Amino acid sequence: MSTSSAPSSRRPAPFDSARRATFVAPRTHRSRPSRRVRRRRLAVAAVAATGVVALAAGLMGVFPSVSGSSLPSLPSVLPGTAFSPSADDGFIGDGAGVDLADDDLPAIARLDPELLAAMRAAEADAAGDGIRFQVTGGWRSAAYQQWLLDTRIAEVGEETARAYVATPEQSRHVNGDAVDIGPVDAQYWLISYGSDYGICQTYANEPWHFELATEPGRACPDMRTDATG
């Protein structure tokens, strides 16, 4: 999948907040709105998007972090287990402030190079709209992914946990093919404009989870319902 194509200057129509959980950015032939208009739209949509993240966290039986960037962080050690995820496993601590330039961290360095390049190109353009990306999840070791799944199952039950946490065999994070981004305004920017770079939200219930899933400038594929899909 090539990421060399220059991003389109076209921008999708204003976001319908009622469709937030299953939104796929439409492609139109409208001229690009002014920066002031884009920022206003992003701010309004971010408020609506926060409600979706809160609902997702509520289904998991916990409250989201202040940023609303993803489901709440997990404890560094699950009681009764010997495994403790570290930076070598791709662990990113709550509030760590990790960004896409942190090549010294395995969570970033072991991402697929094409995904990382596309995300960095998108980040550079988002900065012009006053948006900053924060990485809340990147590459993960299989052991870390299994720990995440086991921990969620212990907390909220198997059915709910599996809707949000894939097995190591199914997880795109383990292959370095997925990245979790916050806060909410950055998520909305990527949902709106990410397809210009080939980047798509791929799970309808996870507005923070993005993958390289289309050719730059083309529409994103239909989203999977959740991590079991």
Side-chain angles (χ1 to χ4, degrees):
M1 185 179 300
S2 173
T3 58
S4 59
S5 300
S8 168
S9 62
R10 305 296 183 186
R11 288 302 185 229
F15 176 61
D16 179 359
S17 61
R19 297 174 56 225
R20 176 62 184 82
T22 57
F23 175 69
V24 177
R27 305 198 62 78
T28 74
H29 296 286
R30 294 185 179 184
S31 60
R32 179 171 177 168
S34 68
R35 181 173 296 178
R36 177 179 296 179
V37 171
R38 292 201 311 275
R39 287 183 175 177
R40 185 183 300 119
R41 290 175 181 173
L42 289 167
V44 171
V47 173
T50 302
V52 175
V53 177
L55 175 61
L59 292 173
M60 292 293 285
V62 285
F63 292 102
S65 61
V66 174
S67 68
S69 60
S70 66
L71 289 178
S73 59
L74 292 167
S76 59
V77 180
L78 178 64
T81 65
F83 180 74
S84 176
S86 68
D88 289 339
D89 295 295
F91 178 77
I92 297 176
D94 187 35
V98 172
D99 61 42
L100 293 165
D102 289 328
D103 290 325
D104 56 323
L105 297 177
I108 304 300
R110 296 186 184 181
L111 287 172
D112 173 74
E114 291 190 355
L115 170 62
L116 184 56
M119 288 296 302
R120 285 173 172 171
E123 180 181 47
D125 288 346
D129 290 330
I131 304 298
R132 180 176 180 271
F133 293 179
Q134 295 178 337
V135 180
T136 59
W139 169 84
R140 298 173 188 151
S141 70
Y144 179 23
Q145 186 68 27
Q146 185 64 55
W147 178 86
L148 285 172
L149 179 58
D150 292 343
T151 301
R152 289 302 188 197
I153 290 174
E155 290 179 343
V156 300
E158 185 164 352
E159 182 177 357
T160 301
R162 288 187 182 276
Y164 290 92
V165 186
T167 65
E169 294 77 17
Q170 295 175 319
S171 174
R172 302 284 288 174
H173 285 282
V174 172
N175 295 327
D177 293 329
V179 61
D180 295 340
I181 294 293
V184 169
D185 59 352
Q187 295 164 7
Y188 175 70
W189 195 98
L190 280 170
I191 290 168
S192 299
Y193 309 139
S195 61
D196 288 345
Y197 312 85
I199 299 165
C200 301
Q201 177 190 349
T202 54
Y203 294 127
N205 67 332
E206 296 187 16
W208 51 82
H209 179 104
F210 297 94
E211 301 176 20
L212 203 59
T214 190
E215 292 293 332
R218 295 187 179 180
C220 288
D222 291 340
M223 286 183 280
R224 298 183 287 277
T225 302
D226 55 39
T228 63

